[in-house]
């Protein structure tokens, strides 16, 4: 992948997938990030680029949609009638964490001591924030791979859209924490001369989790000693990558009030860092069947009550009300992220289960009608 000197602000999503080197799809859980990421990568492949999409969705839905019988932590090539190349990765947090440990261990003995540690085995796939950090690790790994022109990341379904951005900082804060430094510094005599605060803490933790678990934790932290610099350097590199002009952020939302508020907050945070939003995708927008107000349609239904037409007007009023509320929620969001292109994907009759479904989404994402 080659460096780009200017921050990309595309005229449309087609230009985005043609020029960006990293696209990060972010937004609340359940708004269609995985599908959006897959469609962006697929379109890049259709445009002749070598694209890889990283998903955190453990469901088989995306693998099925991409025609894969299996998808794992290493890129799987997807065959299709596109000029470029398309690969997919489903993030395996545990495997990625293991690879990071092996990378930064001083030798194989240190790596194996950590990998075999029960405390490590318990936390490596389930510790809060681990999935977010490992997603960033996988992003860094893939962007450095010369086999790909574009990496599209489907960010984890965190409670907050910004959690994954904070993951590298959280790691360095953890490594700099006083208690962590005590637990990882037996050679500095810290465990021998642990202060009263730490002693009290250890006593209380032991009561809760048991001495065996705590001993495992101590063994893990001590085995970890000496690897902090590598983790810090990688965390700093990931932060630089997120701020790199090659990286473009696409906001994904639904017309629901909470997801729109999340998108607004995310856009504000990017703006504070002088990073423009490169695209906005709003999924599951109800169609507008009438320009009349819901109240007028409801009144019309009442005047026709008892007839088939009255029932239809009632349904029309319901749809008009839903759409008007969605418009209220979305009001001002497009202006906030301008000049970012905006794509609205209508509420479809079913979820995406195959390539045809992705192709249907693509017609809305890459429509010049906006």
């Amino acid at each position: 992948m080659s460096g780009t000197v200017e921050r990309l602000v595309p005229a449309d999503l087609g230009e985005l997938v043609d020029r960006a080197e990293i696209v990060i799809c972010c937004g609340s859980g359940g708004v269609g990030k995985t599908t959006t990421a897959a469609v962006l990568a697929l379109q890049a492949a259709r445009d002749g680029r070598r694209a890889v999409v990283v998903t955190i969705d453990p469901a088989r839905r995306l693998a099925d949609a991409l025609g894969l019988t299996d998808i794992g932590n290493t890129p799987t090539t997807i065959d299709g009638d596109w000029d470029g190349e398309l690969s997919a990765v489903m993030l395996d947090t545990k495997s990625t964490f293991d690879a990071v440990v092996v990378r930064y261990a001083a030798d194989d003995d240190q790596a194996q001591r950590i990998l075999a540690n029960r405390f490590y085995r318990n936390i490596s796939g389930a510790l809060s924030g681990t999935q977010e950090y490992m997603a960033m690790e996988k992003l860094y790994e893939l962007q450095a791979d010369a086999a790909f022109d574009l990496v599209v990341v489907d960010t984890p379904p965190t409670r907050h859209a910004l959690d994954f951005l904070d993951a590298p900082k959280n790691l360095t804060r953890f490594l700099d924490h006083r208690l962590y430094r005590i637990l990882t510094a037996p050679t500095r005599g810290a465990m021998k001369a642990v202060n009263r605060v730490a002693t009290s803490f250890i006593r209380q933790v032991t009561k809760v989790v048991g001495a065996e678990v705590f001993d495992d934790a101590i063994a893990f932290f001590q085995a970890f000693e000496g690897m902090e610099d590598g983790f810090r350097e990688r965390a700093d590199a990931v932060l630089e990558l997120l701020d790199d002009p090659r990286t473009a952020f696409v906001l994904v939302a639904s017309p629901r009030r909470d997801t729109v508020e999340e998108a607004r907050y995310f856009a504000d945070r990017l703006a504070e860092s002088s990073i423009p939003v490169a695209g906005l995708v709003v999924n599951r927008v109800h169609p507008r069947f009438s320009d009349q107000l819901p109240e007028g349609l409801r009144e019309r239904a009442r005047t026709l009550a008892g007839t088939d037409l009255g029932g239809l007007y009632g349904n029309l009023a319901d749809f008009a009300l839903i759409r008007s509320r969605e418009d209220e929620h979305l009001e001002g969001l497009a202006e906030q992220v301008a000049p970012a292109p905006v794509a609205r994907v209508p509420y479809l009759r079913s979820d995406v289960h195959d390539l045809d479904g992705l192709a249907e989404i693509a017609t809305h994402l890459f429509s010049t009608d906006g």
Side-chain angles (χ1 to χ4, degrees):
M1 299 173 79
S2 61
T4 306
V5 294
E6 295 183 356
R7 178 72 68 176
L8 174 62
V9 182
D12 52 45
L13 293 178
E15 182 182 357
L16 175 74
V17 299
D18 283 344
R19 294 183 53 196
E21 297 187 9
I22 299 167
V23 174
I24 297 178
C25 298
C26 46
S28 303
V31 296
K33 290 194 302 291
T34 302
T35 300
T36 299
V39 175
L40 293 176
L42 177 59
Q43 184 64 35
R46 293 194 186 285
D47 292 344
R49 303 192 77 191
R50 300 171 300 167
V52 57
V53 55
V54 185
T55 180
I56 42 69
D57 183 5
R60 292 287 313 163
R61 183 179 57 212
L62 181 63
D64 293 341
L66 293 172
L68 297 174
T69 56
D70 193 19
I71 181 173
N73 204 45
T74 56
T76 299
T77 303
I78 304 163
D79 295 325
D81 61 346
W82 32 81
D83 295 331
E85 298 175 6
L86 177 62
S87 300
V89 173
M90 189 174 78
L91 178 69
D92 182 328
T93 302
K94 178 67 166 58
S95 298
T96 304
F97 207 154
D98 289 352
V100 171
V101 167
V102 171
R103 180 182 305 120
Y104 293 122
D107 50 42
D108 185 62
D109 179 65
Q110 183 184 27
Q112 293 308 316
R113 278 188 289 124
I114 294 175
L115 297 178
N117 183 275
R118 285 182 296 186
F119 179 78
Y120 169 78
R121 292 203 302 268
N122 287 330
I123 69 166
S124 55
L127 189 66
S128 176
T130 303
Q131 189 180 48
E132 290 81 9
Y133 182 71
M134 290 307 146
M136 292 299 98
E137 273 288 332
K138 185 58 69 175
L139 164 64
Y140 191 88
E141 174 187 319
L142 292 173
Q143 64 83 32
D145 191 332
F148 304 114
D149 302 316
L150 172 66
V151 181
V152 183
V153 180
D154 162 34
T155 55
T158 54
R159 290 177 302 171
H160 195 289
L162 291 171
D163 285 356
F164 80 97
L165 284 182
D166 292 331
K169 295 177 185 175
N170 291 339
L171 175 67
T172 54
R173 278 197 290 268
F174 173 73
L175 295 175
D176 290 333
H177 195 279
R178 181 166 171 254
L179 183 58
Y180 168 80
R181 294 185 62 78
I182 290 174
L183 297 177
T184 56
T187 58
R188 293 195 291 269
M191 286 303 293
K192 298 176 183 176
V194 65
N195 62 38
R196 286 184 298 176
V197 175
T199 302
S200 175
F201 172 80
I202 291 171
R203 187 179 299 116
Q204 295 303 317
V205 171
T206 303
K207 289 180 180 177
V208 175
V209 303
E212 186 177 272
V213 174
F214 193 75
D215 288 345
D216 288 341
I218 294 294
F220 164 70
F221 287 126
Q222 292 178 351
F224 200 78
E225 185 185 5
M227 295 172 60
E228 300 95 328
D229 289 344
F231 274 81
R232 283 197 187 88
E233 290 171 3
R234 178 58 71 95
D236 290 342
V238 170
L239 285 172
E240 290 179 6
L241 186 63
L242 294 176
D243 192 40
D244 194 287
R246 294 173 297 172
T247 303
F249 289 85
V250 171
L251 297 185
V252 185
S254 73
R256 284 175 20 196
R257 183 189 300 276
D258 58 337
T259 72
V260 172
E261 289 177 350
E262 191 82 342
R264 289 183 187 282
Y265 182 65
F266 194 95
D268 284 340
R269 279 286 303 272
L270 290 177
E272 290 172 2
S273 302
S274 301
I275 300 175
V277 174
L280 169 64
V281 176
V282 183
N283 284 315
R284 306 188 185 107
V285 178
H286 281 81
R288 184 190 299 281
F289 292 115
S290 172
D291 291 330
Q292 296 184 51
L293 295 175
E295 296 79 4
L297 294 168
R298 191 75 67 197
E299 180 59 27
R300 182 65 170 158
R302 276 195 286 271
T303 64
L304 296 169
T307 68
D308 291 342
L309 200 56
L312 292 175
Y313 266 102
N315 290 337
L316 191 58
D318 290 340
F319 276 110
L321 181 60
I322 293 172
R323 178 55 191 259
S324 68
R325 287 175 176 170
E326 291 179 346
D327 289 343
E328 289 175 5
H329 298 160
L330 293 167
E331 187 175 359
L333 180 58
E335 290 75 10
Q336 182 178 350
V337 302
V342 179
R344 295 188 179 219
V345 180
Y347 213 110
L348 303 178
R349 286 175 293 181
S350 63
D351 289 337
V352 174
H353 295 293
D354 50 32
L355 286 172
D356 289 340
L358 294 180
E360 183 174 2
I361 298 291
T363 61
H364 301 286
L365 293 192
F366 301 103
S367 167
T368 56
D369 296 337

